[in-house]
C-alpha cells in the first residue's frame, strides 16, 4: 500500500453478538488470504485481558521476524506495568532475557590465546628462523627469501639506531611498492619505533600535515622520491645507504605489546585527516586471527594490491609473512590496470587475495576468468549482492570482511556461499578473535535483534586513539559498560547495522551520511542499495546537494553496463522507495570518483547539468502564449532552461517533488489569477494537461456581503439532475480505485454464520430499504 504501510488496531468497544428475531448469529474469523498492509496488529480487549494477532506480508517478512517482533512487544508491555511511574518510555525494556544474553555474551564469545611473540615483527622473525630459504617476497623479476628479508631489515634497523631512532618514535615511510617497502617496515619496528605510511601519490600539503601532526623526526624514502619532500623534512633514502658493514644479526630491542606499531591517517569530518594510533597487540591479534580463519600456510601465495597508506595493507603483508607464505607485490601500474592485474594473479598462481569490491569488479569486467583455488577477502566498502554472485562461481571461497581503521583493519568477517547471494544486503558476519561487537541506540542501550542501531566494537583491536585529538578520542573511544573488564573501551563506528536471526550483522549505511529533506530523515545508503539492484547498474552514490540556496535535493549518480533511460530508472526507484527518497536528478557517469583507498569520493561528484533528462515523450514546443507562460513556470521551479522543458514533459519526471509542486501551484495561481488545488498537478502533470484545468478554474466572487442571514444557516438541497461534487469519503474510494483498479482495500468484511429459517424476500427487502435510505450506496463515479 503506497499510502499506509503499517496498521495498529485496538478493539475496546463492547463485543456483543447481533440479535435477530428467529435467527442465531455467530461471528466468524475469516482468513483473508492476502495482507492488506505490510504489517497489521489487531488487539481485542475483554474482561479476561487482551488478545490479538499479527497479519503480515510474506513477501517482506518471514515468520521468525514477526514472532520476534511480537515477543519484543509483549516484553515491552510487561516492562510497562512493572516500571516506576516516572520512567521514560525510551527506558522501558524490550529485549527478553535470552535474547539479551545472545546479543551481549553469546555472540561475543571469541576469546583466543596466541602466546609469543607479542610484537608484529616478531611474527616474521619466527618464520625467518623456521624457514630462512623459503621465498618471502616476489616483485616482478626479483625475489627475497625470509633469511634475506631478515638480514636486510636487521641492518637497516641497526642504521636507524645509529641515527637515534628508538622506542616511541614515529618514522615516516615514503616509498613506492617494492621489497624495500617491506624491509623498511620491519626495520622501523625492529628499532622499536612505529611507522607512518605516506602515499607518494597524495598531495604534498596533505603529507606535510601528517608529518607535523605525528611529530615525525625521520622519513625513510627512495632516492628518486627524496626530492619530492619539503626541504625541512629529514629523510633517509634506503636504496642509497651502504649497509655492508652493518650487522645482519638480530639485536634485541625492548618492544611491549602496548607500544605503537603504526600511525595511519584517515579522512576527518572536519576536513583535515586524523591519525589513528595502533598498538602491537591489536595488529598481532588481527594477523593471527584472520590468518587462522582463512587457513594461511607456507604453500600460499598472496598478491598484495593495496597502497601502504590503506590499513588493510598490514594484513596483506604481515599475514603471509607470519605464516611462511609468499607475498607477491603488484606494482602501481598493475593495480590500476585490470588486464595487467589479471595476468599477474594468473602468473603468480595466487591462492589468496584481498581487495575492495571496486577492484574485484574491475578485474571481472576486464574478462578475468577467476581461479577455483583462490581464496578471496573483500572489504573496505559494502559488497554488492550482484558482485558476490559474479565472484562465487569463479573462485574457491569468499570472505566479506568489515572494520574501521580505529579497530585495526577488520573486526568482523563472514564466510559466504551461494545461499547468501541475491538475498538483500550481504552480511558482514560476526566478530573476529578477541573482538566484541554491540548494536546500540543513541542512549548506548542494546537494541533488539533485527533493529538498526550504531555498531560499537570492543576487544583487543581497539586502537589507542587519535594523535593530538584528546577530545575526539574521548568522544569516539568510550568506556565499555558490557564487558565487565576494568579499563575496557569501545569504538563508536558511526555505522548503522542490524543483527540477523543467525547472529550475522548486516551493514546498512553511515549515520553521519544521514540527510533530512522536507522533514523526512533519509539514509542515502538505502537509496544506493536499491539503485544497485537495477540489473544494468554497477555502482551508485546518492548525496544531498544545495546548488540553489534553500533548495536541497537528492542527486543520484550511477555507472552502468549500458545507457540506462532515466525515466526507466526513476520508475524502478518509485516502485521500491517512498516518493521523498527518489532522487530529483539521476546522473550516469563513466566511473564514480574514488579516493586512494578505493572508496567513493563523494566530495568529487560533479554538479548535475541543467539539462532535460531523457523522457518517454519527445520535446514539444509551446503552441500558445499561455502554454509558454506555464512552461516558463515549470522551468523556473525546476531550475531548468526554458528551452529544456516541453509542454508534454511530466513535472515529476523532470525532477519535481511535492515541495516543488507546492511552489509551482502557488506561482501558477498568481500568474493566471486562479485558485488551483495542489491535487490538480498530481492529476495533470504536464503543461499541456494542466492548462485546460487552469482555464476552467476561476476565483469565486467575493460576494459574502450580499448574502442574507438565512444563507448561513440553511443547507439548500442540491439538484439531482447533474453530476454532484465528490465528498471527501468518496474521494478516498476514488483514489484507491484509480491507484489500484478493482481493489477491495476499502472494504471491511464482517462474516456471520446464521442459523434458522431465512426469509429471502425479507432479506432482499431489508437490503433494498437500506440502499433506498442511503444515497451514497447508489453513487457511481462516471
Amino acid at each position: 500500500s503506497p499510502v499506509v504501510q503499517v496498521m495498529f488496531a485496538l478493539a475496546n468497544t463492547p463485543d456483543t453478538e447481533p440479535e435477530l428475531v428467529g435467527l442465531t448469529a455467530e461471528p466468524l474469523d475469516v482468513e483473508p488470504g492476502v495482507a492488506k498492509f505490510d504489517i497489521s496488529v489487531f488487539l481485542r480487549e475483554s474482561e479476561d485481558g487482551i488478545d490479538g494477532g499479527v497479519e503480515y506480508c510474506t513477501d517482506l517478512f518471514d515468520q521468525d521476524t514477526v514472532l520476534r517482533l511480537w515477543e519484543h512487544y509483549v516484553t515491552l508491555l510487561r516492562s510497562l506495568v512493572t516500571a516506576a511511574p516516572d520512567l521514560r518510555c525510551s527506558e522501558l525494556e524490550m529485549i527478553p532475557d535470552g535474547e539479551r544474553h545472545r546479543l551481549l555474551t553469546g555472540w561475543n564469545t571469541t576469546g583466543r590465546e596466541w602466546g609469543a611473540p607479542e610484537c608484529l615483527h616478531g611474527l616474521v622473525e619466527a618464520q625467518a628462523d623456521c624457514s630462512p630459504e623459503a621465498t618471502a617476497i616476489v616483485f616482478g623479476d626479483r625475489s627475497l627469501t625470509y633469511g634475506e628479508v631478515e638480514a636486510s631489515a636487521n641492518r637497516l634497523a641497526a642504521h636507524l639506531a645509529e641515527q637515534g631512532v628508538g622506542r616511541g618514535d614515529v618514522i615516516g615511510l615514503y616509498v613506492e611498492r617494492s621489497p624495500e617497502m617491506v624491509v623498511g617496515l620491519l626495520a622501523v619496528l625492529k628499532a622499536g619505533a612505529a611507522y607512518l605510511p605516506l602515499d607518494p601519490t597524495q598531495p604534498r600539503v596533505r603529507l606535510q600535515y601528517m608529518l607535523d601532526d605525528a611529530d615525525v623526526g625521520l622519513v625513510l624514502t627512495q632516492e628518486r622520491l627524496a626530492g619530492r619532500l619539503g626541504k625541512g623534512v629529514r629523510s633517509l633514502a634506503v636504496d642509497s645507504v651502504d649497509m655492508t658493514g652493518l650487522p645482519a644479526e638480530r639485536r634485541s630491542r625492548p618492544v611491549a605489546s602496548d607500544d605503537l606499531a603504526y600511525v595511519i591517517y584517515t579522512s576527518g569530518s572536519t576536513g583535515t585527516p586524523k591519525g589513528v594510533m595502533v598498538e602491537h597487540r591489536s595488529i598481532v591479534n588481527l594477523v593471527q586471527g584472520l590468518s587462522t580463519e582463512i587457513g594461511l600456510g607456507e604453500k600460499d601465495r598472496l598478491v598484495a594490491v593495496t597502497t601502504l597508506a590503506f590499513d588493510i595493507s598490514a594484513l596483506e603483508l604481515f599475514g603471509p609473512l607470519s605464516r611462511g607464505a609468499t607475498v607477491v607485490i603488484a606494482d602501481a601500474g598493475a593495480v590500476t590496470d585490470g588486464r595487467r592485474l589479471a595476468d599477474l594473479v594468473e602468473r603468480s598462481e595466487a591462492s589468496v587475495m584481498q581487495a575492495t569490491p571496486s577492484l574485484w569488479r574491475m578485474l571481472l569486467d576486464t574478462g578475468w576468468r577467476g581461479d577455483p583455488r583462490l581464496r578471496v577477502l573483500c572489504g573496505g566498502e559494502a559488497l554488492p549482492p550482484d558482485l558476490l554472485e559474479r565472484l562465487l562461481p569463479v573462485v574457491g571461497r569468499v570472505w566479506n570482511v568489515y572494520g574501521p581503521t580505529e579497530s585495526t583493519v577488520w573486526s568482523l568477517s563472514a564466510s559466504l556461499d551461494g545461499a547468501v547471494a541475491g538475498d538483500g544486503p550481504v552480511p558482514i558476519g560476526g566478530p573476529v578473535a578477541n573482538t566484541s561487537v554491540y548494536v546500540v541506540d543513541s542512549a548506548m542501550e542494546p537494541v533488539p535483534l533485527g533493529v538498526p542501531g550504531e555498531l560499537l566494537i570492543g576487544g583487543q583491536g581497539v586502537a589507542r586513539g587519535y594523535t593530538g585529538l584528546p577530545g575526539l578520542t574521548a568522544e569516539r573511544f568510550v568506556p565499555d559498560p558490557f564487558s565487565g573488564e576494568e579499563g575496557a573501551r569501545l569504538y563508536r563506528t558511526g555505522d548503522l547495522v542490524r543483527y540477523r536471526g543467525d547472529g550475522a550483522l548486516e551493514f546498512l549505511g553511515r549515520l553521519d551520511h544521514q540527510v533530512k529533506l522536507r522533514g523526512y530523515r533519509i539514509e542515502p545508503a538505502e537509496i544506493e542499495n536499491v539503485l544497485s539492484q537495477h540489473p544494468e547498474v554497477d555502482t551508485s552514490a546518492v548525496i544531498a546537494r544545495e546548488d540553489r540556496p534553500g533548495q536541497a535535493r537528492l542527486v543520484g549518480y550511477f555507472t552502468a553496463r549500458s545507457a540506462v533511460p532515466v525515466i526507466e530508472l526513476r520508475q524502478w526507484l518509485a516502485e521500491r522507495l517512498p516518493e521523498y527518497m527518489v532522487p530529483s536528478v539521476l546522473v550516469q557517469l563513466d566511473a564514480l570518483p574514488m579516493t586512494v583507498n578505493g572508496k567513493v569520493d563523494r566530495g568529487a561528484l560533479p554538479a548535475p547539468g541543467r539539462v532535460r533528462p531523457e523522457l518517454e515523450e519527445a520535446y514539444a514546443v509551446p503552441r500558445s502564449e499561455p502554454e509558454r507562460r506555464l512552461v516558463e513556470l515549470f522551468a523556473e521551479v525546476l531550475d531548468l532552461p526554458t528551452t529544456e522543458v516541453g509542454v508534454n514533459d511530466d513535472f515529476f519526471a523532470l525532477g519535481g517533488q511535492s515541495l516543488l509542486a507546492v511552489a509551482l501551484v502557488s506561482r501558477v495561481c498568481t500568474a493566471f489569477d486562479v485558485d488551483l488545488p495542489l491535487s490538480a498537478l498530481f492529476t495533470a502533470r504536464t503543461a499541456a494537461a494542466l492548462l485546460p484545468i487552469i482555464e476552467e478554474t476561476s476565483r469565486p466572487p467575493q460576494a459574502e456581503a450580499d448574502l442574507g442571514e438565512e444563507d448561513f444557516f440553511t443547507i439548500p438541497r442540491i439538484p439531482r439532475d447533474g453530476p454532484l461534487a465528490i465528498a471527501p469519503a468518496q474521494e478516498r474510494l476514488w483514489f484507491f480505485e484509480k491507484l489500484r483498479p478493482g481493489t477491495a482495500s476499502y472494504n471491511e468484511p464482517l462474516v456471520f454464520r446464521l442459523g434458522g429459517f431465512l426469509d429471502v424476500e425479507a432479506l432482499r427487502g431489508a437490503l433494498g430499504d437500506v440502499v433506498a435510505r442511503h444515497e451514497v450506496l447508489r453513487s457511481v463515479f462516471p
Side-chain angles (χ1 to χ4, degrees), residues 246-266:
L246 294 170
E249 296 77 20
R250 189 180 307 150
R251 291 190 177 183
S252 177
R253 293 178 179 85
V255 177
S257 63
D258 58 354
D259 280 346
L260 276 187
Y262 60 82
V263 177
I264 198 161
Y265 278 77
T266 66

Side-chain angles (χ1 to χ4, degrees), residues 46 72 100 171 331 391 418 490 499 659 676 738 767:
S46 67
H72 291 156
R100 175 175 284 272
I171 304 301
D331 62 58
L391 269 176
L490 296 171
Y499 265 115
L659 195 62
L676 194 68
K738 289 295 183 182
L767 290 175

Side-chain angles (χ1 to χ4, degrees), residues 112-117 284-286 288-290 292 323 433-434 460:
R112 291 288 301 271
E113 292 288 341
W114 304 119
V284 166
N285 179 71
L286 182 277
Q288 294 277 54
L290 263 186
T292 300
R323 296 300 175 102
N434 298 307
Q460 290 188 17

Side-chain angles (χ1 to χ4, degrees), residues 473-494:
T473 297
E475 176 187 330
R476 305 307 302 176
F477 295 85
V478 298
D480 183 349
F482 308 117
S483 70
E485 180 183 339
E486 185 177 356
R489 297 178 308 146
L490 296 171
Y491 172 66
R492 301 191 63 167
T493 67

Side-chain angles (χ1 to χ4, degrees), residues 301-615:
R301 296 170 70 85
L302 184 148
V303 176
V305 298
T306 310
T307 170
L308 192 61
F310 196 179
D311 65 338
I312 71 175
S313 62
L315 179 63
E316 276 186 335
L317 301 175
F318 290 104
L321 293 178
S322 70
R323 296 300 175 102
T326 301
V327 178
V328 180
I329 301 176
D331 62 58
V335 172
T336 56
D337 186 327
R339 290 182 176 84
R340 285 185 58 189
L341 183 56
D343 181 62
L344 175 62
V345 173
E346 292 175 5
R347 285 189 294 103
S348 65
E349 298 181 341
S351 58
V352 182
M353 184 170 155
Q354 169 189 252
T356 63
S358 302
L359 193 58
W360 286 117
R361 189 182 295 277
M362 180 186 75
L363 259 179
L364 291 168
D365 289 346
T366 55
W368 178 60
R369 295 169 297 181
D371 188 335
R373 300 169 299 177
L374 186 65
R375 306 194 299 280
V376 164
L377 277 76
C378 194
E381 58 187 277
L383 173 57
D386 73 296
L387 178 58
L388 177 61
E389 290 180 355
R390 296 175 67 187
L391 269 176
L392 284 171
V394 299
V395 299
R397 290 186 66 182
V398 176
W399 279 268
N400 191 24
V401 284
Y402 159 92
T405 300
E406 289 86 346
S407 60
T408 312
V409 192
W410 306 131
S411 304
L412 297 103
S413 67
S415 178
L416 306 175
D417 56 35
V420 299
D423 295 332
V426 178
I428 55 177
V432 300
N434 298 307
T435 301
S436 54
V437 296
Y438 308 98
V439 185
V440 302
D441 58 20
S442 58
M444 289 282 288
E445 286 294 322
V447 298
L449 199 155
V451 175
E454 182 183 5
L455 175 63
L456 273 57
I457 300 176
Q460 290 188 17
V462 178
R464 183 184 294 181
Y466 300 115
T467 59
L469 296 171
L472 185 60
T473 297
E475 176 187 330
R476 305 307 302 176
F477 295 85
V478 298
D480 183 349
F482 308 117
S483 70
E485 180 183 339
E486 185 177 356
R489 297 178 308 146
L490 296 171
Y491 172 66
R492 301 191 63 167
T493 67
D495 285 338
L496 192 69
V497 301
R498 68 179 169 203
Y499 265 115
R500 304 195 322 175
D502 60 1
L505 284 164
E506 287 181 349
F507 174 78
L508 304 177
R510 283 289 301 174
L511 290 170
D512 55 7
H513 279 169
Q514 186 185 94
V515 297
K516 200 169 186 180
L517 293 176
R518 293 182 283 150
Y520 293 105
R521 191 172 61 190
I522 299 171
E523 292 289 347
E526 184 178 353
I527 308 172
E528 293 166 3
N529 184 45
V530 176
L531 259 176
S532 297
Q533 290 174 19
H534 189 280
E536 291 299 316
V537 172
D538 284 330
T539 58
S540 65
V542 176
I543 60 173
R545 298 189 64 98
E546 195 169 343
D547 297 311
R548 296 177 71 183
Q551 292 191 15
R553 59 179 178 173
L554 288 174
V555 179
Y557 302 85
F558 65 98
T559 65
R561 301 174 182 87
S562 58
V564 180
V566 170
I567 188 70
E568 173 190 321
L569 202 52
R570 286 187 62 85
Q571 182 63 29
W572 168 275
L573 293 171
E575 292 173 356
R576 291 160 175 81
L577 293 171
E579 175 267 336
Y580 62 84
M581 292 184 71
V582 178
S584 300
V585 181
L586 292 166
V587 181
Q588 184 166 350
L589 302 174
D590 292 332
L592 297 180
M594 310 297 285
T595 67
V596 294
N597 291 341
K599 298 182 181 181
V600 175
D601 188 354
R602 296 175 181 272
L605 290 167
R610 297 176 70 247
V611 295
R612 176 180 182 269
E614 181 182 352
L615 304 177

